[in-house]
């Protein structure tokens, strides 16, 4: 088995392809085993020498998965959850009533609704701020009260970019933590902990699993501290752990993460460039394009690509957007993102009346199909309008 130093030096592709199989060599299996037991036998001396007591806090399949993700994000520890929302809400539930948090003005819609609704009713004070404007972030800090700044970059579905290290400087000067929802970037393109973030969150339902058949969430911490212990207690007591069967499937999906993310990013850039000058398209929102307002920061903090997500806005307004979605044949009209199959969605219809998302916008999750087929399908849909 490679020593700890060697594991720390391995490239992400090697970690992913092998998912630390050397760490479980008792039975010499080439894939990590699936452990289903919900409880463990206590030793005769009344101790648990294995460290495993009960399935809600402890499961070896889940712990194996957590070690792989910790290595990928270069963190100190990881917890996986039954969904991305379970991971995200755990962070806020580890705070105390009266604490103030800053979150992006435009972000993953369900989490924004939860923050504005239940979290606020429970006593958190939440300011929704345009995080790409650092002077607004600074002005929103309430000294002594602001405990956390939540980043999502690139952020759903306008793909605005937040400067992770600059926000960390502002937050840390005020003793506030920074947590980055890095679902869209994935550890392949950005490692927020190396940029100063205290925690990273993923909806592992998306790229980490990549096959649209597991709901899961991830939190990675940069350090083992009292806040992380509190978050661990929230998961154990609220029961948001992932089932080991899904954990095993997620480990399998993870093994091709680097290949899928690079391919989706390449194709997303090609699609963005193709439709940039299209007569029916008013704008393409993609951080890989030079005119995107976050492009320079994206170049600084994303390596090897700008991700597989983009949005198109149509000159013909809502009718054109819905018309294109209706006429595509390869792209699937479905919510979610980060799978091997390409998805298209009219976000304003999903988010409802108070959405900040324009109704002429379609969100595209680019999969790993041939990019020319994907472009041709969108072209024929646009040409029929
Ligand atoms: N964060 C982002 C950026 C997302 O896109 C999603 C889901 O779409 C979530 C969090 C929530 O994840 P889940 O659906 O796994 O609960």
């Amino acid at each position: 088995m490679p020593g700890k130093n060697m594991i720390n030096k391995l490239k992400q592709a090697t970690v992913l392809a092998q998912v630390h199989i050397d760490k479980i060599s008792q039975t010499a299996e080439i894939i990590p085993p699936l452990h289903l037991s919900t409880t463990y036998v206590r030793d005769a001396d009344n101790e648990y020498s294995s460290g495993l007591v009960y399935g809600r806090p402890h499961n070896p399949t889940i712990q194996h998965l957590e070690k792989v993700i910790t290595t990928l994000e270069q963190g100190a520890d990881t917890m996986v959850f039954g969904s991305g929302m379970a991971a995200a809400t755990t962070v806020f539930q580890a705070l105390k009533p009266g604490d103030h948090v800053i979150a992006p003005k435009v972000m993953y819609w369900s989490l924004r609704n939860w923050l504005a609704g239940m979290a606020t009713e429970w006593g958190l004070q939440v300011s929704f701020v345009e995080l790409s404007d650092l002077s607004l972030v600074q002005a929103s800090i309430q000294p002594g009260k602001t405990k956390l700044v939540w980043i999502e970059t690139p952020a759903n579905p306008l793909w605005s970019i937040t400067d992770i290290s600059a926000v960390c400087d502002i937050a840390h000067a005020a003793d506030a933590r920074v947590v980055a929802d890095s679902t869209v970037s994935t550890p392949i393109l950005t490692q927020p902990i190396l940029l100063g973030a205290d925690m990273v969150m993923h909806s592992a339902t998306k790229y980490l699993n990549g096959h649209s058949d597991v709901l899961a969430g991830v939190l990675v911490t940069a350090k083992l501290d009292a806040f992380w212990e509190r978050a661990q207690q929230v998961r154990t007591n609220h029961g948001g752990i992932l089932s080991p069967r899904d954990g095993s499937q997620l480990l399998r999906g993870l093994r091709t993460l680097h290949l899928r993310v690079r391919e989706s990013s390449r194709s997303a850039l090609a699609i963005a460039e193709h439709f940039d000058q299209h007569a029916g398209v008013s704008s393409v929102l993609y951080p890989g394009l030079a005119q995107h307002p976050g492009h320079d920061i994206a170049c600084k903090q994303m390596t090897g690509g700008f991700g597989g997500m983009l949005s198109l806005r149509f000159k013909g307004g809502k009718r054109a957007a819905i018309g294109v979605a209706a006429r595509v044949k390869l792209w699937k009209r479905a919510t979610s993102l980060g799978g091997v199959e390409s998805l298209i969605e009219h976000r304003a219809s999903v988010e409802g009346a108070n959405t900040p998302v324009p109704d002429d916008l379609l969100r595209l999750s680019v999969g790993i199909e041939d990019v020319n087929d994907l472009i041709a399908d969108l072209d024929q849909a646009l040409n029929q309008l």
Side-chain angles (χ1 to χ4, degrees), residues 95 146-150 171-172 175-179 198-199 223 225-228:
L95 294 168
T146 305
K147 301 292 180 204
L148 193 139
V149 181
W150 184 270
H172 291 163
D175 272 340
R177 284 185 174 72
V178 174
V179 183
D198 301 279
M199 265 192 214
K223 53 184 180 301
D225 59 8
F227 189 72
W228 182 247

Side-chain angles (χ1 to χ4, degrees), residues 12-13 16 72 185-191 257-258 261-262 303-304:
Q12 283 182 323
L16 286 165
L72 281 181
S185 228
T186 81
I188 303 303
L189 306 181
T190 309
Q191 289 168 303
L257 173 69
H258 49 308
V261 168
R262 289 197 195 112
T303 45

Side-chain angles (χ1 to χ4, degrees), residues 82-86 88 108 110-111 150 152 154 156 181 183-184 201-206 215-217 335-337 347 363:
S83 71
M85 279 298 281
Y108 173 57
S110 296
L111 183 58
W150 184 270
E152 182 182 327
N156 249 302
D181 179 343
T183 298
V184 169
M201 177 262 158
H202 292 279
S203 165
T205 314
K206 318 301 182 196
L215 271 170
T335 198
S336 200
L337 56 103
R347 274 310 288 176
R363 183 180 87 172

